[in-house]
Amino acid sequence: MIRRVTTNKKGALTLSIESDVSLLWYVVGYGILMVMLGIYYSKKISKSEDYILAGRSLGTLVLSGTLLATWVGSGSITGGQTSMAYSFGLIPAFLLTFPVIAGIILLYFIAPKIRNLGKYTVSSILEEKYGPSARLLASIIIILAYIGIVSYQIQGVGFILNVTTGLSVEWGVIIGGVLIIFLATIGGLRSVAPTDALSSGFMVLGLLIALPFMITIAGGWDEITSNVPASHLTATGSLSTIQLLGYLLPPLFLILSDQNMYQRLAASKENRTTKKANIGWIAGILIVTPVISLIAFAASSMFHDIDPGMALMASTLVLPNVVGGILLAAATAFIITTGNSYLLSGATNVTYDIVHKYFMKNATDKQLMNTTKIFVIAMGVLAYILINYFPTILDVQMYAYTVYGAGLTPAVLGVLLWKRVNKAGGFSSMIAGVVTTLLWEIVLGKPFDINSSVIAVPVAILVLIFVTLATAKRQVNTT
């Protein structure tokens, strides 16, 4: 259960264990709306392109909303900004926004090229430059990373149900997994995108309403800062500079080649729509992530012994019921739609990059779409299993981001930005990024409590550059 803040006779904040079942109605109501929309839009699906790319029909508003909702999700609401603000301090949480904005700005310039490629998966983009082996390796990397990302979306729903009903997080995770898998299976991107856009609107509204209430309830800014460790008010918080860098690199290198974002950019009506949507996405990030950080930081001054990922959820217990309910419902929607998106995207890799390419070469479009749905379910089950092996959501988030960012992003950016990059350089970079991540995180046990991104990302970039240049010279000398 979560703990409610109360005030003793001296006016000091104290804690008592208590959940608020009344908040559940907001979550249930919004959940029903999402299911109804999912069923409605599922009837508009007739082929794989509808299921995976929404028939390339997304307008500016819907595209902006689905980009925002997909990126924020549980990664910010129970990991990212929330956990950073609670565990390490306000400024480190704010700093997490900058690499994301930098990544979106770069995507603004390369988005038309991504859309014109018209590929279902990042793996298929890599195949054109690096060959079939690179496509297979990229698919495995994406599947590993996306199962991790889905796992903490499922955990996020578990936290919400714990807050509202007192139900154990374990049972909440099971319920969350079933709901996310169901919604991803029935409608694909055709249904996910509109519900994402609606969720984005609710989330922005809920956060902006909740913030002034939260600061007031926590006793004002002076009271908040007096109740947190002094280190949480410094530039790097309770982290060293290199530890902070380990948290800033993963989101940058994930967003630059995130297949989920690429699929959405490819699903837009036209290039002009894509660029406008990127601007809307930036505006949404600049509103949502700092406000999440501030609310979680205020919660850290009130709740001293909860899971860091529950800081934002905890705030809903002390906010006015309607405000807390709206915020909780919007958070639920963000988490569920992000889980849907990554399940769908990862299952697309399994179907098109592995099953279709190696086992079902003559499959019909309908067979491929049904196969994708089967793997949505399978990946959802694996995500549920994975969450039990990481101590916090922030841990699994950084692992998933780094596996993807170090394993794929240098190679993808090589395809899009560097004409000289070759097969040897790209493939070697992918292997180097993944192997370095796994060695640092699993074999060595994350030495000095530094995230693997600090090591793995530079290694992957250097390998890409040096192997490309070395093999290019060799090719010139042999001709």
Side-chain angles (χ1 to χ4, degrees):
M1 290 190 183
I2 197 69
R3 298 189 174 194
R4 178 189 283 273
V5 175
T6 57
T7 306
N8 62 21
K9 293 180 179 179
K10 296 181 179 180
L13 293 172
T14 59
L15 299 172
S16 59
I17 297 177
E18 186 179 344
S19 57
D20 190 348
V21 179
S22 66
L23 294 172
L24 180 63
W25 295 110
Y26 295 92
V27 177
V28 170
Y30 203 84
I32 291 172
L33 176 61
M34 291 179 67
V35 170
M36 291 174 61
L37 286 173
I39 293 173
Y40 170 76
Y41 282 106
S42 69
K43 296 178 181 179
K44 298 179 178 291
I45 295 173
S46 60
K47 55 184 179 179
S48 292
E49 187 172 79
D50 293 331
Y51 188 74
I52 298 170
L53 296 180
R56 302 182 192 274
S57 63
L58 300 186
T60 301
L61 188 61
V62 173
L63 184 56
S64 295
T66 190
L67 287 167
L68 177 62
T70 301
W71 179 258
V72 176
S74 188
S76 295
I77 292 168
T78 58
Q81 280 79 12
T82 296
S83 292
M84 289 286 282
Y86 185 93
S87 300
F88 307 124
L90 184 59
I91 296 178
F94 279 161
L95 290 176
L96 275 183
T97 301
F98 288 94
V100 176
I101 296 300
I104 298 174
I105 290 172
L106 181 56
L107 285 177
Y108 175 88
F109 292 103
I110 64 175
K113 188 169 185 177
I114 293 170
R115 183 179 180 277
N116 293 336
L117 287 171
K119 301 293 185 181
Y120 284 172
T121 66
V122 166
S123 310
S124 57
I125 294 175
L126 292 172
E127 182 182 30
E128 290 193 358
K129 190 73 174 183
Y130 305 134
S133 297
R135 180 173 183 172
L136 179 60
L137 177 59
S139 298
I140 294 171
I141 294 170
I142 292 170
I143 293 164
L144 287 173
Y146 281 11
I147 288 174
I149 292 173
V150 172
S151 71
Y152 59 79
Q153 312 304 322
I154 294 174
Q155 179 91 313
V157 179
F159 284 165
I160 289 173
L161 293 177
N162 175 256
V163 168
T164 55
T165 67
L167 185 72
S168 70
V169 173
E170 291 75 17
W171 275 106
V173 166
I174 293 173
I175 294 171
V178 171
L179 182 59
I180 287 173
I181 291 169
F182 172 74
L183 288 172
T185 303
I186 61 172
L189 189 59
R190 174 72 79 175
S191 66
V192 168
T195 56
D196 277 357
L198 183 63
S199 300
S200 294
F202 269 99
M203 192 65 184
V204 170
L205 178 65
L207 286 168
L208 290 177
I209 293 173
L211 179 59
F213 279 102
M214 189 63 184
I215 291 176
T216 301
I217 292 168
W221 190 249
D222 289 341
E223 181 71 18
I224 292 170
T225 54
S226 68
N227 286 328
V228 299
S231 63
H232 285 202
L233 300 172
T234 63
T236 62
S238 57
L239 298 167
S240 67
T241 301
I242 194 168
Q243 285 175 327
L244 177 59
L245 186 62
Y247 286 103
L248 298 181
L249 287 177
L252 172 62
F253 279 84
L254 172 64
I255 201 169
L256 286 175
S257 65
D258 190 343
Q259 179 173 276
N260 238 322
M261 307 308 164
Y262 279 32
Q263 286 177 336
R264 278 157 174 72
L265 294 173
S268 67
K269 287 181 179 180
E270 57 185 357
N271 288 336
R272 184 172 58 179
T273 300
T274 305
K275 288 194 171 185
K276 288 181 179 178
N278 268 351
I279 295 172
W281 185 14
I282 290 174
I285 290 290
L286 287 174
I287 295 171
V288 169
T289 55
V291 176
I292 288 175
S293 301
L294 286 166
I295 292 175
F297 185 68
S300 73
S301 74
M302 304 166 72
F303 299 89
H304 298 294
D305 59 351
I306 60 173
D307 186 303
M310 296 191 78
L312 187 70
M313 307 303 177
S315 70
T316 63
L317 291 174
V318 297
L319 290 167
N321 189 266
V322 173
V323 177
I326 291 174
L327 181 60
L328 198 60
T332 304
F334 260 28
I335 291 170
I336 290 174
T337 54
T338 300
N340 297 345
S341 300
Y342 280 96
L343 266 185
L344 173 62
S345 191
T348 303
N349 280 105
V350 181
T351 299
Y352 287 89
D353 296 333
I354 298 176
V355 175
H356 181 39
K357 190 171 181 63
Y358 296 101
F359 302 103
M360 294 174 56
K361 295 181 179 180
N362 298 317
T364 64
D365 186 78
K366 185 175 182 179
Q367 286 175 327
L368 292 173
M369 186 168 65
N370 290 335
T371 301
T372 303
K373 293 181 178 182
I374 292 171
F375 282 109
V376 164
I377 298 171
M379 286 185 63
V381 172
L382 290 174
Y384 166 75
I385 294 171
L386 181 66
I387 195 60
N388 298 303
Y389 291 92
F390 286 87
T392 70
I393 282 182
L394 193 59
D395 286 328
V396 68
Q397 182 183 5
M398 290 300 110
Y399 153 78
Y401 281 18
T402 304
V403 165
Y404 195 106
L408 289 184
T409 300
V412 172
L413 293 181
V415 172
L416 297 174
L417 303 175
W418 191 23
K419 291 182 179 180
R420 292 184 62 185
V421 72
N422 60 22
K423 179 178 179 180
F427 194 75
S428 298
S429 173
M430 292 163 64
I431 293 175
V434 173
V435 170
T436 305
T437 301
L438 296 178
L439 282 174
W440 189 264
E441 294 281 349
I442 297 175
V443 178
L444 299 178
K446 201 162 77 170
F448 314 110
D449 202 29
I450 296 172
N451 287 325
S452 55
S453 59
V454 176
I455 309 299
V457 170
V459 166
I461 294 172
L462 291 173
V463 168
L464 177 77
I465 294 171
F466 286 125
V467 173
T468 294
L469 294 177
T471 53
K473 289 179 180 179
R474 189 179 307 157
Q475 290 172 1
V476 170
N477 291 335
T478 57
T479 57

